[in-house]
Amino acid sequence: MALIIHAGSTNKNAMKALIVAEYTGVKVELVKDFQMGVSNKTPEFLSLNPIGKVPVLETPDGSVFESNAIARYVARLTDNTLFGASLIDYGRIEQWIDFATLEIDSNILRWFIPRIGFAVYLPPAEEAAISSLKRALAALNTHLASNTYLVGHSVTLADIIMTCNLVLGFSRIMTKSFTSEFPHVERYFWTMVNQPNFLKIVGEVKQAESVPPVQSAKKPSETKEPVKPTVKDAPKEEAKKEVKEQVAKPEAAEEVVEAPKPKAKNPLDLLPSSKMVLDDWKRLYSNTKTNFREVAIKGLSFVFPSFKKLISV
Amino acid sequence: MALIIHAGSTNKNAMKALIVAEYTGVKVELVKDFQMGVSNKTPEFLSLNPIGKVPVLETPDGSVFESNAIARYVARLTDNTLFGTSLIDYGRIEQWIDFATLEIDSNILRWFIPRIGFAVYLPPAEEAAISSLKRALAALNTHLASNTYLVGHSVTLADIIMTCNLVLGFSRIMTKSFTSEFPHVERYFWTMVNQPNFLKIVGEVKQADSVPPVQSAKKPSENKEPVNPTVKDAPKEEAKKEVKEQVAKPEAAEEVVEAPKPKAKNPLDLLPSSKMVLDDWKRLYSNTKTNFREVAIKGFWDMYDPEGYSLWFCDYKYNEENTVSFVTMNKVGGFLQRMDLARKYAFGKMLIIGSEPPFKVKGLWLFRGKEIPKFILDECYDMELYEWKQVDITDEAQKERVNQMIEDYEPFEGESLLDAKCFK
């Protein structure tokens, strides 16, 4: 019986466990019909994860949340070398997993999330985030100058988690001119995402050409999923965001990416014509400065005859 | 042979592994004479951890950094139940470790660090941090309503890490009225910190009475350690902070607490009197609006007394850190604030040089006496962050450099000035 991950299909955090499963042969599937902001708000979901975030793994023995924990759990289901071949290997794999999370991912998100409008944009905070990210990438670059993999001589869980975190950065906000300062990180990243087990889950990655422009204060959002990091299909415009409440904490936001729809005739244009002209009402509403009730509300009843029954003017 | 942890003695992140060791019987010790900001800047240390942060564990087989990784490694050295007794236990222990780090610790730090002046204070960011923290504590509270421990029926690694992270929150910023909304978290926390193995490492914890007031733009700091979360001794005034560069990322800061000193006579007052009066120079410097070089600079050399005073160039040793403009400026500002004790005996100009990072920080100082006053070296820790060279006033090139630094001459040594700060 396959393990089920509750997350959207573009969630880079869910990809961690899915890539592990490719390496180890365990069956892990994404839940069907997951709707961000809806599926993770049900009482059933909250009993799996009281904070209501994704991804969550469902197993026959119970649920696990936190993407790194899920990836570790899946990795321990079978004998494999994803945790290294010695105790010191293990310690270092855990160290790079934590580094990938606290130094790389958190700073990428601190930079990215306000720019796509899901947290308040504050220039000094952004400057500090970029500085911290550069410091972390410089340290990673130093390590990768003499190492092909983070630990040992083959892919471990540290590489899977680090790469998934970098996918978000490379595809959405770190341009070539930014990453060219860290050539060993670049080499590492492109090697990793082209490994067959990564390619199968992540798909083709194209590096961002520009930093997202700062959005004005946006729709709030509550439970979020990481943005779609891959370009499995042709690049699409972000046509729709499902969001609820604005949180400043750097959490990844889910964006539902839809293809631009061909312009169709709006069926409302095909209705029989009406003597009410909506723009007339809007103009009346906006221009009425005094005696609002007498003028605008009364006027509404002329513009919208059946409204007259609802108000006493 | 004991494993060695490089960290200060009050570092709550180092305590994680130390508590694990109490449970499992492994020998782990803190390194001796660790100096935050100094010990972790050496090339040897950076070879252990290229990002230069603490704690770092040294083992016979090599080093491990990241406090949670260190704790996990130590826990795996022996057979024990800190990772649970089943695979699903293990998964859940890892889940609560990550939750303790990403949901609890990171939000506590986002709230705390700007308030103690080690990151820029931004009200909307604080509001969001508190909101996220409450959301996390509410979820934790729900879980602990029906669980004594995070996983299973005994202490696991998740409890050790969660508790260490909560210690910082409870003792420094989360008051009783804040935590009373999460009674199960309160019950859990006080139970945990009173377990003998915790008490031995953490010491007695007293809950914060109030939220720290917002500090004005402060001393910058780079590598930081968590603040002393315990009150092992009587509460003391925070007399000194060891910090380097202001980072907005929520990292814990180390504070060295000293008792207030009795007022001593300043040895500089006992020097033979000099015809140069420092205040006259400061007045001339400040009041000269035009023809600065002809009036003020000339006036300086006319009044300068090389027997009673000395001139020094200083050069910041770690310019590679200066990657953020306002952080660098704050760092220098902090230095000048800490020089306040020398105001009667010193005049200084600090220049921040360059049009892009890394910025160079260089300065010129005039001190009473023929040496850098010892009380300044003792009291102002920034002094050791700079290379100091006495100005040879017989060397015309050096004299000219003095002149340029006094008058904020641009371009200075070929570069534009980001900022110039005067200590007078």
Side-chain angles (χ1 to χ4, degrees):
Chain A
M1 199 183 101
L3 303 177
I4 308 281
I5 292 190
H6 294 257
S9 57
T10 60
N11 186 316
K12 65 97 169 150
N13 282 335
M15 291 178 187
K16 297 170 185 173
L18 294 170
I19 295 172
V20 168
E22 289 297 319
Y23 274 94
T24 64
V26 170
K27 283 209 165 307
V28 183
E29 288 170 5
L30 283 173
V31 74
K32 308 254 185 299
D33 304 321
F34 182 84
Q35 282 183 306
M36 193 60 199
V38 178
S39 309
N40 52 310
K41 296 210 161 286
T42 65
E44 297 75 30
F45 189 91
L46 292 170
S47 69
L48 300 179
N49 181 0
I51 203 170
K53 293 191 181 183
V54 292
V56 175
L57 181 76
E58 262 197 287
T59 84
D61 302 316
S63 64
V64 180
F65 55 87
E66 285 293 345
S67 63
N68 291 349
I70 293 169
R72 288 183 182 101
Y73 173 86
V74 174
R76 289 212 182 262
L77 286 170
T78 60
D79 276 330
N80 55 65
T81 53
L82 290 179
F83 275 111
S86 66
L87 196 54
I88 190 68
D89 269 5
Y90 165 72
R92 287 163 164 172
I93 287 165
E94 290 289 5
Q95 125 196 326
W96 286 113
I97 290 175
D98 284 351
F99 184 95
T101 305
L102 298 170
E103 299 289 347
I104 301 288
D105 192 45
S106 70
N107 286 314
I108 287 175
L109 293 174
R110 278 167 77 211
W111 184 13
F112 179 61
I113 295 299
R115 282 204 167 242
I116 56 168
F118 294 138
V120 57
Y121 174 75
L122 300 161
E126 179 176 90
E127 201 182 341
I130 293 172
S131 172
S132 296
L133 178 60
K134 284 187 167 184
R135 179 181 174 188
L137 287 170
L140 181 59
N141 197 58
T142 299
H143 179 74
L144 292 172
S146 46
N147 289 279
T148 303
Y149 302 96
L150 286 172
V151 181
H153 299 289
S154 56
V155 168
T156 62
L157 187 56
D159 299 299
I160 294 173
I161 288 173
M162 176 73 82
T163 301
C164 285
N165 289 349
L166 286 172
V167 164
L168 177 63
F170 270 78
S171 62
R172 300 306 302 269
I173 195 160
M174 304 196 302
T175 61
K176 177 77 176 115
S177 68
F178 182 87
T179 58
S180 59
E181 207 182 317
F182 314 104
H184 305 291
V185 177
E186 288 186 319
R187 180 219 6 108
Y188 169 81
F189 176 73
W190 294 115
T191 304
M192 286 296 132
V193 291
N194 281 299
Q195 299 303 298
N197 289 336
F198 284 76
L199 211 49
K200 181 173 172 194
I201 300 297
V202 176
E204 191 197 344
V205 179
K206 281 200 168 56
Q207 188 156 14
E209 282 165 15
S210 59
V211 174
V214 178
Q215 306 277 342
S216 48
K218 266 246 189 119
K219 313 151 209 183
S221 96
E222 197 176 63
T223 331
K224 297 184 181 147
E225 295 206 50
V227 294
K228 184 187 163 125
T230 71
V231 185
K232 282 194 187 174
D233 317 346
K236 293 176 182 166
E237 288 292 299
E238 287 166 356
K240 184 172 164 201
K241 291 186 190 347
E242 285 174 357
V243 284
K244 285 249 177 89
E245 131 211 332
Q246 192 167 21
V247 294
K249 175 175 180 174
E251 283 177 306
E254 155 139 316
E255 294 158 48
V256 175
V257 173
E258 295 175 3
K261 294 187 173 55
K263 296 256 171 210
K265 234 181 167 31
N266 194 313
L268 298 180
D269 292 327
L270 305 173
L271 289 172
S273 63
S274 160
K275 66 177 176 74
M276 177 174 184
V277 177
L278 187 59
D279 280 351
D280 286 348
W281 161 240
K282 291 180 176 180
R283 215 169 293 123
L284 180 63
Y285 171 88
S286 304
N287 294 339
T288 307
K289 303 295 175 198
T290 57
N291 299 322
F292 191 86
R293 184 165 279 256
E294 291 79 1
V295 178
I297 301 291
K298 182 166 186 295
L300 179 60
S301 71
F302 283 103
V303 178
F304 182 16
S306 54
F307 190 65
K308 206 169 168 185
K309 300 190 189 101
L310 303 174
I311 55 160
S312 51
V313 174
Chain B
M1 198 181 103
L3 303 177
I4 308 280
I5 291 190
H6 294 257
S9 58
T10 60
N11 187 316
K12 64 96 169 151
N13 282 335
M15 291 178 187
K16 297 169 184 174
L18 293 170
I19 295 172
V20 168
E22 290 297 319
Y23 275 93
T24 64
V26 169
K27 284 208 164 309
V28 183
E29 290 169 3
L30 282 173
V31 74
K32 308 255 181 301
D33 304 320
F34 183 85
Q35 283 183 302
M36 193 60 200
V38 178
S39 308
N40 51 310
K41 292 206 163 292
T42 64
E44 296 77 30
F45 189 91
L46 293 171
S47 70
L48 301 178
N49 182 1
I51 202 169
K53 292 191 182 183
V54 293
V56 176
L57 182 76
E58 263 198 285
T59 84
D61 302 315
S63 63
V64 180
F65 56 87
E66 286 291 345
S67 62
N68 291 347
I70 293 170
R72 289 183 181 100
Y73 173 85
V74 173
R76 289 212 183 261
L77 285 170
T78 60
D79 277 332
N80 56 64
T81 53
L82 290 178
F83 274 111
T85 51
S86 66
L87 196 55
I88 190 66
D89 268 6
Y90 166 71
R92 285 162 166 175
I93 287 165
E94 290 289 5
Q95 125 196 327
W96 286 112
I97 290 174
D98 284 352
F99 184 96
T101 305
L102 298 170
E103 299 289 348
I104 300 289
D105 193 46
S106 72
N107 286 314
I108 287 175
L109 292 174
R110 280 168 76 210
W111 184 13
F112 180 60
I113 294 299
R115 282 205 165 240
I116 56 167
F118 295 138
V120 58
Y121 175 76
L122 301 161
E126 178 176 270
E127 200 182 333
I130 293 173
S131 170
S132 295
L133 178 60
K134 285 187 166 185
R135 178 182 174 186
L137 287 170
L140 181 59
N141 196 59
T142 299
H143 179 73
L144 292 172
S146 47
N147 289 278
T148 304
Y149 302 95
L150 286 172
V151 181
H153 299 289
S154 57
V155 168
T156 62
L157 187 56
D159 298 299
I160 295 173
I161 289 173
M162 176 73 83
T163 301
C164 286
N165 289 349
L166 286 172
V167 164
L168 178 62
F170 269 79
S171 62
R172 300 306 303 267
I173 194 160
M174 305 196 303
T175 60
K176 177 77 177 118
S177 68
F178 182 87
T179 59
S180 60
E181 205 182 319
F182 315 104
H184 303 291
V185 177
E186 287 186 321
R187 182 225 355 114
Y188 169 81
F189 176 73
W190 294 114
T191 304
M192 285 297 131
V193 291
N194 281 298
Q195 298 304 298
N197 289 336
F198 284 75
L199 211 49
K200 182 174 172 193
I201 301 297
V202 176
E204 191 196 345
V205 179
K206 283 199 168 51
Q207 189 157 11
D209 286 328
S210 59
V211 175
V214 178
Q215 306 277 344
S216 49
K218 251 221 190 160
K219 315 152 206 182
S221 96
E222 193 180 62
N223 290 69
K224 296 177 181 160
E225 296 205 51
V227 293
N228 186 347
T230 69
V231 186
K232 282 195 189 173
D233 317 343
K236 293 182 182 161
E237 287 296 301
E238 289 168 355
K240 185 172 164 197
K241 290 185 186 0
E242 285 174 357
V243 284
K244 285 244 179 90
E245 140 206 324
Q246 193 167 20
V247 292
K249 175 172 180 174
E251 284 179 301
E254 156 140 318
E255 293 158 49
V256 173
V257 174
E258 294 176 2
K261 291 185 172 60
K263 295 235 171 244
K265 228 179 169 32
N266 194 312
L268 297 182
D269 293 330
L270 305 172
L271 289 173
S273 62
S274 162
K275 67 177 176 70
M276 180 172 188
V277 178
L278 189 59
D279 279 352
D280 288 348
W281 159 239
K282 290 179 176 180
R283 216 169 292 124
L284 180 63
Y285 171 86
S286 304
N287 294 341
T288 306
K289 302 295 174 199
T290 57
N291 300 321
F292 191 86
R293 184 157 286 241
E294 293 81 0
V295 179
I297 300 287
K298 179 175 182 304
F300 174 77
W301 292 112
D302 284 345
M303 71 170 71
Y304 180 64
D305 168 22
E307 291 304 314
Y309 287 80
S310 52
L311 282 166
W312 298 81
F313 291 128
C314 68
D315 198 341
Y316 188 64
K317 293 184 199 170
Y318 308 105
N319 285 323
E320 69 277 3
E321 292 173 359
N322 300 333
T323 56
V324 181
S325 59
F326 70 89
V327 172
T328 307
M329 287 159 62
N330 287 347
K331 185 190 319 201
V332 175
F335 173 34
L336 296 190
Q337 281 176 356
R338 285 184 286 283
M339 284 298 275
D340 190 55
L341 50 81
R343 202 168 295 276
K344 272 179 60 177
Y345 310 100
F347 167 86
K349 287 300 296 283
M350 295 296 293
L351 306 185
I352 302 170
I353 299 155
S355 50
E356 49 174 34
F359 304 101
K360 302 174 227 350
V361 172
K362 297 180 199 283
L364 166 77
W365 285 86
L366 171 72
F367 290 122
R368 183 73 170 94
K370 295 176 77 163
E371 298 171 353
I372 301 180
K374 182 171 185 305
F375 80 93
I376 297 179
L377 290 170
D378 289 345
E379 299 289 328
C380 179
Y381 68 80
D382 305 70
M383 300 293 286
E384 68 183 31
L385 305 177
Y386 294 83
E387 296 285 354
W388 292 89
K389 220 172 66 101
Q390 186 155 14
V391 176
D392 175 1
I393 57 169
T394 63
D395 178 347
E396 282 304 316
Q398 292 193 33
K399 272 185 78 171
E400 177 56 20
R401 190 165 190 265
V402 169
N403 296 340
Q404 291 193 356
M405 295 184 91
I406 294 176
E407 69 175 0
D408 301 343
Y409 185 84
E410 269 190 272
F412 181 79
E413 296 178 340
E415 299 193 79
S416 57
L417 295 182
L418 176 68
D419 195 15
K421 293 188 191 287
C422 181
F423 177 85
K424 56 181 163 72

